[in-house]
Amino acid sequence: PRSVPSPGPMAAPAAGPPPVLRIVAECGRSRARAGELRLPHGTVPCPVFMPVGTRGTAKGLTAAQLAALGCRICLGNTFHLGTRPGPELVRRSGGLHGFMDWPHNLLTDSGGFQMVSLLELSEVSEEGVLFQPPHGGDPVLLSPERAMEIQNALGADIVMQLDDVVSSTTTGPRLEEAMLRSVRWLDRCVAAHARPQQQRLFAIVQGGTEPELRLRCLRAMTQRAVSGFAIGGLSGGEAKARFWRAVKLCTEHLPRDKPRYLMGVGYATDLVVCVALGCDMFDCVFPTRTARFGSALVPWGSLQLKNQKFAKDFRPIDADCGCPTCQRHSRAYLHALLRCNTAALHLLTLHNVAYQMKLMGSIRDSILRQRFPEFVREFMAAMYGGRGGPPAWAREALESVGITLG
Amino acid sequence: MATAGGARPPAPGDDGRRGAARVARVPRLLRVPVRRRGARMRLKLLGAGRLGSLAGLGRGGAGALALPGCLLYTRAGAAPHLTHDTLREVRGVPGVAHVALPALAEIHDVLEEYKEGAAKFMGMPDAVLYCSLHDPVTPCPSGYNTNKMVSLWGSSGRMEITASKFMDIQRAIQPDWFQCISDGDTISGEAGRKRAQKSVDRSLSFLDICLQLQEESPELQGSVMFGAIEGGDILEERLRSARETAKRPVGGFLLDGFQGSAMAKETKLKLIASVTAELPEDKPRIIHGVGKPDEVLECIERGVDIFESFFPFQVTERGCALVFSYDCHPAPEATVLPQNGIQDLEKNGAQEDQEEVSKADPEMTPFEISLKDKKYHDDFGPLLEGCSCYCCQRHTRAYVHHLLVTNELLAGVLLMMHNFQHYFGFFSAVRDALRDSKLDQLKELIFRQALQGPASTALRH
């Protein structure tokens, strides 16, 4: 067995940037925390869900609309922006903030996930990921250094290390190799990061759902001086029973005083459970993507508004939702509008983002008021009440941190 | 038959021509005789041409529309790409919204069950709503109308409706204004005299049926019916249609059958002038299918009051931004090029655009630039210098170019906001020019750009 590398001399700079996380309250039973992220473009309450604005736009929403919904941090994507329009152009536009006219915080991921998930021809080596750009041109190497260079140009408040990404169902030597390489690449990212005061670097813990690999990765990465830790390599096709155990293992071994960012998680139930397990930050394309397929998120599931059964349903999506869509429009109208006007997609995107913001706000509020376990029970009752109760994995996960469901 | 809705007899001193643009000596306040409770629409002309306003619109009678002006183009009640709050960021949105019948006909059963009218159903309970027979952007294939039925074209395909069915649907819609069902299938260029004659006969027949049905419909007592003037490109038929329609108690007139490009321009302009000369001055005239700024001016000069705003939508759909100038007196520092545009051809961005991109999109006009063009990749200026719209205040050509190239939905949102605001600003400038007797200067500016592209787009940042 190969041993994990120990941190190099540059891994613990003398005066790092100020800590990101300020914990304001903790749940007395579970591992849930409520707090604030202190970032260059303002304070962000957490736990927080970050909408994904892949190419410098929160899909059909204007920056003003997104801010009006209460969003204070969203994602941009290094891979997509790095190819088009390219980091140099974005830098000349005043960084991604200037390009999008977004006054609040941004997080960019490194591009590793897209490289592997989107491209047919990509080859990983110790150097980096070699890939064939989808729109023509010579093969390009995305190395840890290049990933940092691009992210430095984009200027997001939080930047992610380049990690060696494998599918969450991978097992065997490739999984271990990827984990160890991710640690080495973390060191290279720390060394290459040219703007540590303006941009906070997060590590990404790997190891799939193999506890032993996860643990080794955790032990190594927590020795590095980074501002926060992401839990990567999950939320793919792995079994939920393995998923939550891997998350819990990570939160057990990550430092209390640094934010834990669980990547790719966005279904409401998953958010609630993973907050209970101790995660602070989440991102997922699901709410915005599903909106563009005509699906509206509600506390009891989702409404497929293209379905004929909504043609004469004159109620709003959710009578308790205060978003602009629910204030003005009915399900019947949205059903009709979906046929002929993209405005329908934007109305649904608005609602789904509002839903996510409201959910996280309720979660946070309940932690502050020391009633998070009750909130979880109410949430589960609303979501699964008529359908035979919450899924077994969610029950087990919550039980493991002291929350029992009825 | 009562002629309460007909035209005034000529006053002493009038030269007998009515409707054509001419200078009047005193402003006149003319009222549409109120035959129905709730129809409080008043047209006020201020004297210069047909500068004026429509007031007393809508349910509460508080709606107004400045004339000459345009409607807000919507698709099923929402401005294309825009939610209510993004539309609110657009300045100068007109007081009357335009919705096409097909989208509403497809949900007739829904509206019947809803009972409270289409405006409320579409989330705009306080809007003044005009319902046209067809959508200006959807092509209407020729040959599908009969003496009893007209074909509509919606997202689910073709619907045949009779006058009776038409009124059923209008009863469920409860619009403030609506175009009476008519046969306008004369634009394909193959219609001869006989077909033109049929379009007039059928439309008058439909009109009489619908007027009768409106009398019997409590839901439509507050709605204003616009009579469609048809007749293809045959002058005789156009005059007959105008005179006969004007005899009916309609609240306004719609000049139909001028869409498309089959009709020769000279013919079109002559027919429009001839038609409006037959119409009473105290009722508004809408034209369908005319959107380009030069054509708008030509129609205004010939007695047309109201236009649609599908043109900025079409510009948006091809990834373009309106950049034509309508400022006859730009401030000295804003004049970026001398007015002798011909010498500056090689610097004129829009000119190059026409050559490069017109291959890609033959519909593109000289009034716009194509943001998909590679040269905007690193252009950090706004879409249009000096524009105060949401997009120009916050974003660059480079950003919009990026959004288009990456197929992002936000491109349509931002371009629609800009294109609408610019187009509404143009109409405001037309009204100002009429008021200040500067219409000729505005015409000169617009027509010059129609020939060679706008002078203001060459400045790069």
Side-chain angles (χ1 to χ4, degrees), chain B residues 35-36 39 167 170-171 175-176 178 180 207-226 249-251:
Chain B
R35 294 190 74 235
R36 302 180 179 83
M167 290 303 281
Q170 294 297 352
R171 270 195 289 275
D176 296 288
F178 64 106
C180 186
L207 180 57
D208 289 335
I209 294 170
C210 292
L211 283 167
Q212 179 60 39
L213 288 171
Q214 186 178 14
E215 282 286 294
E216 300 159 11
S217 307
E219 306 93 329
L220 292 173
Q221 292 311 303
S223 305
V224 176
M225 191 182 314
F226 279 66
V250 292

PDB file of all heavy atoms in Angstrom, chain B residues 35-36 39 167 170-171 175-176 178 180 207-226 249-251:
ATOM      1  N   ARG B  35     -72.393  53.297 -27.502  1.00  0.00           N
ATOM      2  CA  ARG B  35     -73.615  52.519 -27.692  1.00  0.00           C
ATOM      3  C   ARG B  35     -73.754  51.476 -26.613  1.00  0.00           C
ATOM      4  O   ARG B  35     -74.793  50.928 -26.393  1.00  0.00           O
ATOM      5  CB  ARG B  35     -73.573  51.818 -29.054  1.00  0.00           C
ATOM      6  CG  ARG B  35     -73.612  52.777 -30.217  1.00  0.00           C
ATOM      7  CD  ARG B  35     -73.815  52.037 -31.516  1.00  0.00           C
ATOM      8  NE  ARG B  35     -75.179  51.573 -31.657  1.00  0.00           N
ATOM      9  CZ  ARG B  35     -75.513  50.306 -31.890  1.00  0.00           C
ATOM     10  NH1 ARG B  35     -74.600  49.391 -31.969  1.00  0.00           N
ATOM     11  NH2 ARG B  35     -76.774  49.969 -32.019  1.00  0.00           N
ATOM     12  N   ARG B  36     -72.646  51.176 -25.989  1.00  0.00           N
ATOM     13  CA  ARG B  36     -72.714  50.117 -24.995  1.00  0.00           C
ATOM     14  C   ARG B  36     -72.152  50.654 -23.691  1.00  0.00           C
ATOM     15  O   ARG B  36     -71.194  51.395 -23.695  1.00  0.00           O
ATOM     16  CB  ARG B  36     -71.851  48.937 -25.410  1.00  0.00           C
ATOM     17  CG  ARG B  36     -72.254  48.391 -26.729  1.00  0.00           C
ATOM     18  CD  ARG B  36     -71.379  47.229 -27.123  1.00  0.00           C
ATOM     19  NE  ARG B  36     -71.846  46.757 -28.400  1.00  0.00           N
ATOM     20  CZ  ARG B  36     -71.497  47.290 -29.552  1.00  0.00           C
ATOM     21  NH1 ARG B  36     -70.635  48.276 -29.579  1.00  0.00           N
ATOM     22  NH2 ARG B  36     -71.999  46.842 -30.674  1.00  0.00           N
ATOM     23  N   ALA B  39     -68.002  50.838 -22.784  1.00  0.00           N
ATOM     24  CA  ALA B  39     -67.046  51.174 -23.840  1.00  0.00           C
ATOM     25  C   ALA B  39     -66.774  52.672 -23.764  1.00  0.00           C
ATOM     26  O   ALA B  39     -67.431  53.468 -24.406  1.00  0.00           O
ATOM     27  CB  ALA B  39     -67.622  50.789 -25.196  1.00  0.00           C
ATOM     28  N   MET B 167     -67.057  33.902 -31.722  1.00  0.00           N
ATOM     29  CA  MET B 167     -67.640  34.726 -30.657  1.00  0.00           C
ATOM     30  C   MET B 167     -67.739  33.966 -29.335  1.00  0.00           C
ATOM     31  O   MET B 167     -67.591  34.555 -28.268  1.00  0.00           O
ATOM     32  CB  MET B 167     -69.008  35.250 -31.082  1.00  0.00           C
ATOM     33  CG  MET B 167     -68.937  36.293 -32.195  1.00  0.00           C
ATOM     34  SD  MET B 167     -67.908  37.727 -31.780  1.00  0.00           S
ATOM     35  CE  MET B 167     -69.044  38.646 -30.752  1.00  0.00           C
ATOM     36  N   GLN B 170     -64.419  34.440 -27.882  1.00  0.00           N
ATOM     37  CA  GLN B 170     -64.232  35.813 -27.389  1.00  0.00           C
ATOM     38  C   GLN B 170     -65.002  36.046 -26.093  1.00  0.00           C
ATOM     39  O   GLN B 170     -64.555  36.792 -25.226  1.00  0.00           O
ATOM     40  CB  GLN B 170     -64.650  36.843 -28.456  1.00  0.00           C
ATOM     41  CG  GLN B 170     -63.768  36.863 -29.708  1.00  0.00           C
ATOM     42  CD  GLN B 170     -62.317  37.258 -29.431  1.00  0.00           C
ATOM     43  OE1 GLN B 170     -61.945  37.672 -28.324  1.00  0.00           O
ATOM     44  NE2 GLN B 170     -61.469  37.133 -30.447  1.00  0.00           N
ATOM     45  N   ARG B 171     -66.135  35.389 -25.969  1.00  0.00           N
ATOM     46  CA  ARG B 171     -66.906  35.523 -24.716  1.00  0.00           C
ATOM     47  C   ARG B 171     -66.112  34.982 -23.547  1.00  0.00           C
ATOM     48  O   ARG B 171     -66.217  35.464 -22.424  1.00  0.00           O
ATOM     49  CB  ARG B 171     -68.246  34.789 -24.820  1.00  0.00           C
ATOM     50  CG  ARG B 171     -69.376  35.646 -25.350  1.00  0.00           C
ATOM     51  CD  ARG B 171     -70.713  34.971 -25.067  1.00  0.00           C
ATOM     52  NE  ARG B 171     -70.900  33.796 -25.903  1.00  0.00           N
ATOM     53  CZ  ARG B 171     -71.375  33.825 -27.139  1.00  0.00           C
ATOM     54  NH1 ARG B 171     -71.738  34.958 -27.691  1.00  0.00           N
ATOM     55  NH2 ARG B 171     -71.501  32.712 -27.832  1.00  0.00           N
ATOM     56  N   PRO B 175     -61.921  40.208 -24.100  1.00  0.00           N
ATOM     57  CA  PRO B 175     -60.843  41.168 -24.381  1.00  0.00           C
ATOM     58  C   PRO B 175     -61.380  42.590 -24.295  1.00  0.00           C
ATOM     59  O   PRO B 175     -62.589  42.812 -24.336  1.00  0.00           O
ATOM     60  CB  PRO B 175     -60.467  40.842 -25.824  1.00  0.00           C
ATOM     61  CG  PRO B 175     -61.747  40.346 -26.429  1.00  0.00           C
ATOM     62  CD  PRO B 175     -62.493  39.628 -25.335  1.00  0.00           C
ATOM     63  N   ASP B 176     -60.458  43.546 -24.211  1.00  0.00           N
ATOM     64  CA  ASP B 176     -60.887  44.941 -24.283  1.00  0.00           C
ATOM     65  C   ASP B 176     -61.117  45.344 -25.734  1.00  0.00           C
ATOM     66  O   ASP B 176     -62.068  46.043 -26.061  1.00  0.00           O
ATOM     67  CB  ASP B 176     -59.828  45.839 -23.635  1.00  0.00           C
ATOM     68  CG  ASP B 176     -59.691  45.530 -22.164  1.00  0.00           C
ATOM     69  OD1 ASP B 176     -60.608  45.878 -21.410  1.00  0.00           O
ATOM     70  OD2 ASP B 176     -58.679  44.907 -21.769  1.00  0.00           O
ATOM     71  N   PHE B 178     -60.887  43.574 -29.823  1.00  0.00           N
ATOM     72  CA  PHE B 178     -60.586  42.382 -30.605  1.00  0.00           C
ATOM     73  C   PHE B 178     -60.866  42.601 -32.086  1.00  0.00           C
ATOM     74  O   PHE B 178     -61.756  43.362 -32.469  1.00  0.00           O
ATOM     75  CB  PHE B 178     -61.333  41.153 -30.082  1.00  0.00           C
ATOM     76  CG  PHE B 178     -62.836  41.198 -30.172  1.00  0.00           C
ATOM     77  CD1 PHE B 178     -63.499  40.439 -31.143  1.00  0.00           C
ATOM     78  CD2 PHE B 178     -63.588  41.950 -29.278  1.00  0.00           C
ATOM     79  CE1 PHE B 178     -64.893  40.455 -31.213  1.00  0.00           C
ATOM     80  CE2 PHE B 178     -64.979  41.969 -29.346  1.00  0.00           C
ATOM     81  CZ  PHE B 178     -65.633  41.212 -30.322  1.00  0.00           C
ATOM     82  N   CYS B 180     -62.310  41.482 -35.435  1.00  0.00           N
ATOM     83  CA  CYS B 180     -63.393  40.607 -35.861  1.00  0.00           C
ATOM     84  C   CYS B 180     -62.838  39.552 -36.804  1.00  0.00           C
ATOM     85  O   CYS B 180     -61.931  39.821 -37.611  1.00  0.00           O
ATOM     86  CB  CYS B 180     -64.489  41.395 -36.560  1.00  0.00           C
ATOM     87  SG  CYS B 180     -65.913  40.361 -36.934  1.00  0.00           S
ATOM     88  N   LEU B 207     -68.509  40.058 -40.122  1.00  0.00           N
ATOM     89  CA  LEU B 207     -68.643  41.239 -39.258  1.00  0.00           C
ATOM     90  C   LEU B 207     -70.089  41.414 -38.811  1.00  0.00           C
ATOM     91  O   LEU B 207     -70.372  41.664 -37.638  1.00  0.00           O
ATOM     92  CB  LEU B 207     -68.138  42.483 -39.998  1.00  0.00           C
ATOM     93  CG  LEU B 207     -68.219  43.801 -39.226  1.00  0.00           C
ATOM     94  CD1 LEU B 207     -67.457  43.724 -37.907  1.00  0.00           C
ATOM     95  CD2 LEU B 207     -67.677  44.949 -40.077  1.00  0.00           C
ATOM     96  N   ASP B 208     -70.998  41.288 -39.763  1.00  0.00           N
ATOM     97  CA  ASP B 208     -72.406  41.482 -39.411  1.00  0.00           C
ATOM     98  C   ASP B 208     -72.892  40.412 -38.437  1.00  0.00           C
ATOM     99  O   ASP B 208     -73.611  40.715 -37.480  1.00  0.00           O
ATOM    100  CB  ASP B 208     -73.265  41.500 -40.682  1.00  0.00           C
ATOM    101  CG  ASP B 208     -73.035  42.782 -41.484  1.00  0.00           C
ATOM    102  OD1 ASP B 208     -72.631  43.790 -40.872  1.00  0.00           O
ATOM    103  OD2 ASP B 208     -73.243  42.762 -42.717  1.00  0.00           O
ATOM    104  N   ILE B 209     -72.472  39.182 -38.682  1.00  0.00           N
ATOM    105  CA  ILE B 209     -72.854  38.106 -37.751  1.00  0.00           C
ATOM    106  C   ILE B 209     -72.304  38.413 -36.361  1.00  0.00           C
ATOM    107  O   ILE B 209     -73.009  38.310 -35.355  1.00  0.00           O
ATOM    108  CB  ILE B 209     -72.308  36.745 -38.238  1.00  0.00           C
ATOM    109  CG1 ILE B 209     -72.956  36.325 -39.549  1.00  0.00           C
ATOM    110  CG2 ILE B 209     -72.514  35.676 -37.165  1.00  0.00           C
ATOM    111  CD1 ILE B 209     -72.304  35.127 -40.214  1.00  0.00           C
ATOM    112  N   CYS B 210     -71.046  38.787 -36.293  1.00  0.00           N
ATOM    113  CA  CYS B 210     -70.404  39.007 -34.993  1.00  0.00           C
ATOM    114  C   CYS B 210     -70.975  40.217 -34.268  1.00  0.00           C
ATOM    115  O   CYS B 210     -71.102  40.203 -33.038  1.00  0.00           O
ATOM    116  CB  CYS B 210     -68.894  39.141 -35.170  1.00  0.00           C
ATOM    117  SG  CYS B 210     -68.116  37.593 -35.681  1.00  0.00           S
ATOM    118  N   LEU B 211     -71.310  41.258 -34.998  1.00  0.00           N
ATOM    119  CA  LEU B 211     -71.906  42.425 -34.341  1.00  0.00           C
ATOM    120  C   LEU B 211     -73.232  42.049 -33.697  1.00  0.00           C
ATOM    121  O   LEU B 211     -73.533  42.459 -32.576  1.00  0.00           O
ATOM    122  CB  LEU B 211     -72.098  43.561 -35.352  1.00  0.00           C
ATOM    123  CG  LEU B 211     -70.819  44.325 -35.705  1.00  0.00           C
ATOM    124  CD1 LEU B 211     -71.031  45.206 -36.931  1.00  0.00           C
ATOM    125  CD2 LEU B 211     -70.339  45.160 -34.519  1.00  0.00           C
ATOM    126  N   GLN B 212     -73.993  41.235 -34.407  1.00  0.00           N
ATOM    127  CA  GLN B 212     -75.261  40.780 -33.867  1.00  0.00           C
ATOM    128  C   GLN B 212     -75.030  39.948 -32.608  1.00  0.00           C
ATOM    129  O   GLN B 212     -75.691  40.129 -31.594  1.00  0.00           O
ATOM    130  CB  GLN B 212     -76.000  39.956 -34.929  1.00  0.00           C
ATOM    131  CG  GLN B 212     -77.342  39.411 -34.474  1.00  0.00           C
ATOM    132  CD  GLN B 212     -78.295  40.515 -34.081  1.00  0.00           C
ATOM    133  OE1 GLN B 212     -78.332  41.572 -34.726  1.00  0.00           O
ATOM    134  NE2 GLN B 212     -79.053  40.302 -33.027  1.00  0.00           N
ATOM    135  N   LEU B 213     -74.063  39.040 -32.714  1.00  0.00           N
ATOM    136  CA  LEU B 213     -73.783  38.170 -31.565  1.00  0.00           C
ATOM    137  C   LEU B 213     -73.254  38.975 -30.384  1.00  0.00           C
ATOM    138  O   LEU B 213     -73.527  38.653 -29.223  1.00  0.00           O
ATOM    139  CB  LEU B 213     -72.785  37.070 -31.953  1.00  0.00           C
ATOM    140  CG  LEU B 213     -73.352  35.983 -32.860  1.00  0.00           C
ATOM    141  CD1 LEU B 213     -72.221  35.067 -33.373  1.00  0.00           C
ATOM    142  CD2 LEU B 213     -74.401  35.147 -32.141  1.00  0.00           C
ATOM    143  N   GLN B 214     -72.513  40.043 -30.690  1.00  0.00           N
ATOM    144  CA  GLN B 214     -72.008  40.858 -29.590  1.00  0.00           C
ATOM    145  C   GLN B 214     -73.155  41.530 -28.841  1.00  0.00           C
ATOM    146  O   GLN B 214     -73.128  41.639 -27.617  1.00  0.00           O
ATOM    147  CB  GLN B 214     -71.013  41.916 -30.090  1.00  0.00           C
ATOM    148  CG  GLN B 214     -70.358  42.681 -28.932  1.00  0.00           C
ATOM    149  CD  GLN B 214     -69.328  43.703 -29.374  1.00  0.00           C
ATOM    150  OE1 GLN B 214     -69.234  44.062 -30.542  1.00  0.00           O
ATOM    151  NE2 GLN B 214     -68.547  44.179 -28.428  1.00  0.00           N
ATOM    152  N   GLU B 215     -74.162  41.960 -29.600  1.00  0.00           N
ATOM    153  CA  GLU B 215     -75.346  42.563 -28.976  1.00  0.00           C
ATOM    154  C   GLU B 215     -75.940  41.639 -27.933  1.00  0.00           C
ATOM    155  O   GLU B 215     -76.449  42.091 -26.903  1.00  0.00           O
ATOM    156  CB  GLU B 215     -76.430  42.817 -30.038  1.00  0.00           C
ATOM    157  CG  GLU B 215     -76.198  44.031 -30.907  1.00  0.00           C
ATOM    158  CD  GLU B 215     -76.472  45.309 -30.150  1.00  0.00           C
ATOM    159  OE1 GLU B 215     -77.638  45.547 -29.788  1.00  0.00           O
ATOM    160  OE2 GLU B 215     -75.514  46.040 -29.891  1.00  0.00           O
ATOM    161  N   GLU B 216     -75.889  40.332 -28.236  1.00  0.00           N
ATOM    162  CA  GLU B 216     -76.533  39.328 -27.383  1.00  0.00           C
ATOM    163  C   GLU B 216     -75.594  38.798 -26.302  1.00  0.00           C
ATOM    164  O   GLU B 216     -75.959  37.861 -25.578  1.00  0.00           O
ATOM    165  CB  GLU B 216     -77.020  38.158 -28.253  1.00  0.00           C
ATOM    166  CG  GLU B 216     -78.028  38.571 -29.319  1.00  0.00           C
ATOM    167  CD  GLU B 216     -78.093  37.541 -30.455  1.00  0.00           C
ATOM    168  OE1 GLU B 216     -77.520  36.434 -30.284  1.00  0.00           O
ATOM    169  OE2 GLU B 216     -78.691  37.847 -31.506  1.00  0.00           O
ATOM    170  N   SER B 217     -74.388  39.331 -26.210  1.00  0.00           N
ATOM    171  CA  SER B 217     -73.407  38.762 -25.266  1.00  0.00           C
ATOM    172  C   SER B 217     -73.080  39.743 -24.146  1.00  0.00           C
ATOM    173  O   SER B 217     -72.331  40.702 -24.347  1.00  0.00           O
ATOM    174  CB  SER B 217     -72.100  38.430 -25.994  1.00  0.00           C
ATOM    175  OG  SER B 217     -72.337  37.617 -27.104  1.00  0.00           O
ATOM    176  N   PRO B 218     -73.612  39.482 -22.966  1.00  0.00           N
ATOM    177  CA  PRO B 218     -73.314  40.375 -21.847  1.00  0.00           C
ATOM    178  C   PRO B 218     -71.810  40.473 -21.555  1.00  0.00           C
ATOM    179  O   PRO B 218     -71.315  41.542 -21.212  1.00  0.00           O
ATOM    180  CB  PRO B 218     -74.034  39.730 -20.644  1.00  0.00           C
ATOM    181  CG  PRO B 218     -74.913  38.678 -21.199  1.00  0.00           C
ATOM    182  CD  PRO B 218     -74.523  38.388 -22.602  1.00  0.00           C
ATOM    183  N   GLU B 219     -71.111  39.335 -21.771  1.00  0.00           N
ATOM    184  CA  GLU B 219     -69.669  39.324 -21.449  1.00  0.00           C
ATOM    185  C   GLU B 219     -68.884  40.272 -22.337  1.00  0.00           C
ATOM    186  O   GLU B 219     -67.746  40.636 -22.009  1.00  0.00           O
ATOM    187  CB  GLU B 219     -69.079  37.923 -21.632  1.00  0.00           C
ATOM    188  CG  GLU B 219     -69.777  36.818 -20.882  1.00  0.00           C
ATOM    189  CD  GLU B 219     -70.842  36.136 -21.738  1.00  0.00           C
ATOM    190  OE1 GLU B 219     -71.436  36.813 -22.590  1.00  0.00           O
ATOM    191  OE2 GLU B 219     -71.066  34.942 -21.528  1.00  0.00           O
ATOM    192  N   LEU B 220     -69.427  40.624 -23.482  1.00  0.00           N
ATOM    193  CA  LEU B 220     -68.654  41.422 -24.441  1.00  0.00           C
ATOM    194  C   LEU B 220     -69.153  42.858 -24.564  1.00  0.00           C
ATOM    195  O   LEU B 220     -68.770  43.574 -25.484  1.00  0.00           O
ATOM    196  CB  LEU B 220     -68.688  40.733 -25.817  1.00  0.00           C
ATOM    197  CG  LEU B 220     -67.929  39.409 -25.884  1.00  0.00           C
ATOM    198  CD1 LEU B 220     -68.156  38.713 -27.225  1.00  0.00           C
ATOM    199  CD2 LEU B 220     -66.437  39.622 -25.664  1.00  0.00           C
ATOM    200  N   GLN B 221     -69.975  43.272 -23.617  1.00  0.00           N
ATOM    201  CA  GLN B 221     -70.512  44.635 -23.701  1.00  0.00           C
ATOM    202  C   GLN B 221     -69.438  45.686 -23.546  1.00  0.00           C
ATOM    203  O   GLN B 221     -69.565  46.790 -24.055  1.00  0.00           O
ATOM    204  CB  GLN B 221     -71.621  44.838 -22.655  1.00  0.00           C
ATOM    205  CG  GLN B 221     -72.875  44.031 -22.940  1.00  0.00           C
ATOM    206  CD  GLN B 221     -73.324  44.191 -24.377  1.00  0.00           C
ATOM    207  OE1 GLN B 221     -73.565  45.297 -24.862  1.00  0.00           O
ATOM    208  NE2 GLN B 221     -73.404  43.086 -25.101  1.00  0.00           N
ATOM    209  N   GLY B 222     -68.392  45.359 -22.833  1.00  0.00           N
ATOM    210  CA  GLY B 222     -67.323  46.336 -22.639  1.00  0.00           C
ATOM    211  C   GLY B 222     -66.216  46.228 -23.673  1.00  0.00           C
ATOM    212  O   GLY B 222     -65.226  46.958 -23.612  1.00  0.00           O
ATOM    213  N   SER B 223     -66.365  45.324 -24.637  1.00  0.00           N
ATOM    214  CA  SER B 223     -65.282  45.081 -25.588  1.00  0.00           C
ATOM    215  C   SER B 223     -65.482  45.877 -26.866  1.00  0.00           C
ATOM    216  O   SER B 223     -66.595  46.071 -27.327  1.00  0.00           O
ATOM    217  CB  SER B 223     -65.224  43.594 -25.942  1.00  0.00           C
ATOM    218  OG  SER B 223     -65.106  42.816 -24.779  1.00  0.00           O
ATOM    219  N   VAL B 224     -64.394  46.336 -27.429  1.00  0.00           N
ATOM    220  CA  VAL B 224     -64.440  47.121 -28.664  1.00  0.00           C
ATOM    221  C   VAL B 224     -64.059  46.228 -29.837  1.00  0.00           C
ATOM    222  O   VAL B 224     -62.979  45.650 -29.863  1.00  0.00           O
ATOM    223  CB  VAL B 224     -63.449  48.308 -28.591  1.00  0.00           C
ATOM    224  CG1 VAL B 224     -63.420  49.059 -29.904  1.00  0.00           C
ATOM    225  CG2 VAL B 224     -63.806  49.230 -27.436  1.00  0.00           C
ATOM    226  N   MET B 225     -64.954  46.140 -30.820  1.00  0.00           N
ATOM    227  CA  MET B 225     -64.657  45.316 -31.987  1.00  0.00           C
ATOM    228  C   MET B 225     -63.986  46.152 -33.076  1.00  0.00           C
ATOM    229  O   MET B 225     -64.440  47.253 -33.387  1.00  0.00           O
ATOM    230  CB  MET B 225     -65.931  44.670 -32.543  1.00  0.00           C
ATOM    231  CG  MET B 225     -65.594  43.613 -33.578  1.00  0.00           C
ATOM    232  SD  MET B 225     -66.985  42.787 -34.372  1.00  0.00           S
ATOM    233  CE  MET B 225     -68.039  42.394 -33.041  1.00  0.00           C
ATOM    234  N   PHE B 226     -62.917  45.613 -33.600  1.00  0.00           N
ATOM    235  CA  PHE B 226     -62.225  46.268 -34.713  1.00  0.00           C
ATOM    236  C   PHE B 226     -62.611  45.551 -36.008  1.00  0.00           C
ATOM    237  O   PHE B 226     -62.452  44.330 -36.113  1.00  0.00           O
ATOM    238  CB  PHE B 226     -60.707  46.198 -34.517  1.00  0.00           C
ATOM    239  CG  PHE B 226     -60.181  47.251 -33.582  1.00  0.00           C
ATOM    240  CD1 PHE B 226     -60.516  47.238 -32.233  1.00  0.00           C
ATOM    241  CD2 PHE B 226     -59.358  48.266 -34.055  1.00  0.00           C
ATOM    242  CE1 PHE B 226     -60.038  48.218 -31.376  1.00  0.00           C
ATOM    243  CE2 PHE B 226     -58.874  49.250 -33.198  1.00  0.00           C
ATOM    244  CZ  PHE B 226     -59.214  49.233 -31.858  1.00  0.00           C
ATOM    245  N   PRO B 249     -71.148  49.664 -36.872  1.00  0.00           N
ATOM    246  CA  PRO B 249     -70.788  50.293 -35.584  1.00  0.00           C
ATOM    247  C   PRO B 249     -69.565  49.636 -34.922  1.00  0.00           C
ATOM    248  O   PRO B 249     -69.639  49.156 -33.784  1.00  0.00           O
ATOM    249  CB  PRO B 249     -72.050  50.072 -34.738  1.00  0.00           C
ATOM    250  CG  PRO B 249     -72.635  48.809 -35.267  1.00  0.00           C
ATOM    251  CD  PRO B 249     -72.356  48.807 -36.746  1.00  0.00           C
ATOM    252  N   VAL B 250     -68.459  49.642 -35.621  1.00  0.00           N
ATOM    253  CA  VAL B 250     -67.244  49.099 -35.019  1.00  0.00           C
ATOM    254  C   VAL B 250     -66.538  50.210 -34.246  1.00  0.00           C
ATOM    255  O   VAL B 250     -66.751  51.393 -34.509  1.00  0.00           O
ATOM    256  CB  VAL B 250     -66.286  48.526 -36.087  1.00  0.00           C
ATOM    257  CG1 VAL B 250     -66.886  47.294 -36.730  1.00  0.00           C
ATOM    258  CG2 VAL B 250     -65.915  49.585 -37.118  1.00  0.00           C
ATOM    259  N   GLY B 251     -65.680  49.834 -33.334  1.00  0.00           N
ATOM    260  CA  GLY B 251     -64.984  50.825 -32.527  1.00  0.00           C
ATOM    261  C   GLY B 251     -63.666  51.260 -33.135  1.00  0.00           C
ATOM    262  O   GLY B 251     -63.075  52.260 -32.706  1.00  0.00           O
TER     263      GLY B 251
END
